[in-house]
Structure formats: structure tokens, C-alpha cells
Amino acid sequence: MTRKPTKPFSIGGIEMDNRVVLAPMAGICNSAFRLTVKEFGAGLVYAEMISDKGIVMKNEKTLSMLYIDERENPLSLQIFGGEKDTLVAAAKYVDQNTSADIIDINMGCPVNKIIKCEAGARWLLDPNKIYEMVSAVVDNVNKPVSVKMRIGWDSDHILAVENAQAIERAGGAAVAVHGRTREQMYEGRANWDIIRDVKQSVSIPVIGNGDVETPQDAKRMLDETGVDGVMIGRAALGDPWMIYRTVEYLESGELKPEPSVREKIDVCLLHFERLAQLKGEHVAVREMRKHASWYLKNIRGNGRARTVINQIEDANELRAYLNLFAEEAMAKQDEIVLV
């Protein structure tokens, strides 16, 4: 009898095909982006963080952020808030009205407007509050509950181990750890040693996050920390091949080549079409400006292209310009080869 291969890790019974996880990035991880990354092989994708109060108040824009394409699963939908009643109510709504597999609580966002709401990274100073909030959510939903957190508030207040243990005691099914403090924001280096300490202190799955910029970094994080999964965020912006190349490298040891210019533009256009379907062409053109600049990174002539794209208002004009840019960039590459 052929034995079914074991999945790399699972969260509350939700099994992942591999150890590569897409991070929740505010203003980025909508369905159009997530699906594009998912098709490059991510084992788990996270939705961008969503306000608990926005959900509870049935804010139209907030509720639209709950949209999930069935091809994205398994998916973790992240909520944030500072008050137990609204956090629980929002979690119950997600539990009963979405196809998310996992409900994640944000405990790492470092920006002031979130901190002022007593949410995000503010929780990192109080393991007791973490226990109270997580246990309240766990008790009121059927889906597994996880937490994404940072290692601490600042270098003098690093409570990563205590906080992870509080999450586990509260019934949390997993924890993702970004190896920076709130004070660091996105600067400096991520501390993988503390991520390893967290992994050794709890029995629930731990996902490591921070400074994973190459497939080799992902393998090194797994080897050095023992985490169950590796979370990739900024390195996937305009580069879903980073996800594919990391999955391949972890599974076979083979480092796949970087994509061609034409491949980059084709996926950029696919991403745009999905964004247009999700939000309408007018909004999609504006939102695609930042994504296009990421897709064009390291391609000759990208500086001028970004300037042009930032002036474009029409969807057909954007499509035409991206195709023209690809043709010109490939022609320049041919010229370089011939020389």
C-alpha cells in the first residue's frame, strides 16, 4: 500500500503543502495579489490586516476586504483591535461569513495609528492581555486562531517567549514571529535567535519572519531556528518567483533561474487584470503603480518607465505601455548579447 506523504506542517488541522508562507502586508495583500502569489506555490497566504471595528460596523470598504477567491486556500485572515468585545465580534463574523481557514490576530503592526488604538504591537508589553484576548477569540470561533507578533516592544522589553507561551495557553494554534521590535519598525536586522527561542518554548507551530530575501535565506532560517514555516513579505513584492524559487530550493536544493523580462511583464499584467476585476479599472490603475515599479525593478530603463506609469490614468494605456516596455527591454537585451 502506498503511504500518503506527510504534509510539512499544519495549523489546527489545516495542512500546508510546503513551508513557504506569504506575509500579511497592509495595502498589498488583497485577493488579486494573494492569488497571484498562491499560483507560484505558496503553502499558506495571509490577507492584509482588517479592522475589527470596521467589520462590526459593517463598513462597506472593510467588508469588501474580506473577499476570498476559492483558489487562494489555505488562507489566514488577519484582524486587529484593542478591545475584547469588538475583536471577538469581528472574529465571529469572519468565522461564520468567510471561507478563511485560519483567523489571525495582529500583534505586530508598529504604526502609530494602530498603536493608539491599543492594538497591534501595543500588546507585546502585556502577556496577560494577550492571554485574555486570544482565549476570548478561541472560545467563540470554530476556525483555528493564530497570532502574528514581533519579538518585543523595544530592546529593553523583549517578551517573545512569554507572549508565545501565553498564546499557546490561550488555545492559539500557531504563532508567526517577526524578528524585529516595534522600535525597529522595518530597520536593522531581524533577530533569528529569539525566533529560535520561541520555537523551543512552545509546542504549537512557529513561523519565522524577517530578512528572508533569497531562497538560501529561507533554508538558513529553517536550519538555524527550527521553525515550521518561513514567512516572506517584502521580497515577494513584484517577484512572486521568489515564492516559487524558495519552494523549489527547499524541496529539491535546485535554485531556479530568475524570470525573463517578458515573464515579469506578463505576470504584472495578469496581476493588474485581477486587480481591475476586484476594484474596477480606475482604482486598479492607481494601485498598480507601486506594484508595476516592483515588477520592473532591476530591468534596464525602469526609472523612466516608473515616471511614465505614475502619470497613466487609463487601463488600456497602462496595458499598452507595459507591453511596449517589455518589447523595448528585450530588444536592448538582444543588443547587449550581440555586442
Side-chain angles (χ1 to χ4, degrees), residues 264-283:
K264 284 189 173 185
I265 299 302
D266 284 346
V267 173
C268 180
L269 285 164
L270 172 64
H271 184 172
F272 171 65
E273 297 303 336
R274 287 173 170 165
L275 195 56
Q277 187 175 13
L278 184 69
K279 298 191 174 188
E281 289 190 346
H282 180 71
V283 173

Side-chain angles (χ1 to χ4, degrees), residues 3 12 17 23 61 91 105 110 117 119 191 239 258 261 269 273 337:
R3 185 172 293 178
D17 286 334
K61 183 178 179 181
I105 301 173
C117 298
N191 189 323
D239 189 9
E258 296 280 0
V261 172
L269 285 164
E273 297 303 336
V337 171

Side-chain angles (χ1 to χ4, degrees), residues 49-50 55 77-81 87 90-91 94 103-106:
M49 67 177 188
I50 301 175
I55 294 172
L77 197 149
Q78 187 181 80
I79 58 177
F80 73 91
L87 193 71
V94 171
I103 299 171
D104 189 75
I105 301 173
N106 181 293

Side-chain angles (χ1 to χ4, degrees), residues 99-152:
S99 61
D101 300 282
I102 300 159
I103 299 171
D104 189 75
I105 301 173
N106 181 293
M107 229 171 65
C109 183
V111 301
N112 285 330
K113 69 177 183 179
I114 304 298
I115 298 298
K116 288 177 180 177
C117 298
E118 296 296 317
R122 174 63 74 183
W123 293 27
L124 299 172
L125 293 164
D126 190 352
N128 291 327
K129 178 178 181 178
I130 290 170
Y131 174 83
E132 178 186 356
M133 300 283 268
V134 174
S135 61
V137 172
V138 169
D139 288 346
N140 282 279
V141 299
N142 294 314
K143 298 181 190 291
V145 176
S146 65
V147 170
K148 184 173 188 292
M149 68 177 191
R150 287 178 174 243
I151 57 173

Side-chain angles (χ1 to χ4, degrees), residues 69-289:
D69 186 297
E70 62 182 10
R71 293 170 290 178
E72 298 177 51
N73 301 87
L75 175 139
S76 178
L77 197 149
Q78 187 181 80
I79 58 177
F80 73 91
E83 298 174 14
K84 183 165 63 176
D85 289 348
T86 50
L87 193 71
V88 168
K92 289 171 71 174
Y93 186 91
V94 171
D95 189 47
Q96 297 166 13
N97 296 281
T98 78
S99 61
D101 300 282
I102 300 159
I103 299 171
D104 189 75
I105 301 173
N106 181 293
M107 229 171 65
C109 183
V111 301
N112 285 330
K113 69 177 183 179
I114 304 298
I115 298 298
K116 288 177 180 177
C117 298
E118 296 296 317
R122 174 63 74 183
W123 293 27
L124 299 172
L125 293 164
D126 190 352
N128 291 327
K129 178 178 181 178
I130 290 170
Y131 174 83
E132 178 186 356
M133 300 283 268
V134 174
S135 61
V137 172
V138 169
D139 288 346
N140 282 279
V141 299
N142 294 314
K143 298 181 190 291
V145 176
S146 65
V147 170
K148 184 173 188 292
M149 68 177 191
R150 287 178 174 243
I151 57 173
W153 180 259
D154 56 29
S155 58
D156 295 323
H157 300 87
I158 294 179
L159 303 173
V161 168
E162 294 90 336
N163 290 338
Q165 290 173 337
I167 292 163
E168 182 175 36
R169 287 198 311 275
V175 59
V177 186
H178 182 165
R180 289 181 174 85
T181 63
R182 187 266 172 175
E183 182 182 54
Q184 283 180 276
M185 300 293 283
Y186 297 97
E187 303 298 324
R189 300 298 299 172
N191 189 323
W192 291 6
D193 291 338
I194 294 174
I195 295 176
R196 184 188 63 238
D197 293 342
V198 170
K199 172 58 186 172
Q200 293 175 349
S201 72
V202 296
S203 59
I204 56 176
V206 175
I207 300 170
N209 178 217
D211 292 346
V212 179
E213 299 172 358
T214 67
Q216 297 95 318
D217 288 338
K219 185 176 188 308
R220 189 164 57 84
M221 176 178 271
L222 287 169
D223 292 343
E224 293 182 8
T225 67
V227 291
D228 302 275
V230 176
M231 183 174 277
I232 297 172
R234 288 175 289 174
L237 296 176
D239 189 9
W241 294 269
M242 169 61 180
I243 301 293
Y244 164 71
R245 295 174 74 238
T246 300
V247 171
E248 290 294 314
Y249 186 71
L250 294 180
E251 293 184 352
S252 70
E254 181 181 358
L255 196 59
K256 296 291 185 179
E258 296 280 0
S260 67
V261 172
R262 185 70 255 180
E263 287 174 318
K264 284 189 173 185
I265 299 302
D266 284 346
V267 173
C268 180
L269 285 164
L270 172 64
H271 184 172
F272 171 65
E273 297 303 336
R274 287 173 170 165
L275 195 56
Q277 187 175 13
L278 184 69
K279 298 191 174 188
E281 289 190 346
H282 180 71
V283 173
V285 167
R286 291 177 172 272
E287 289 197 9
M288 201 63 201
R289 290 170 179 170

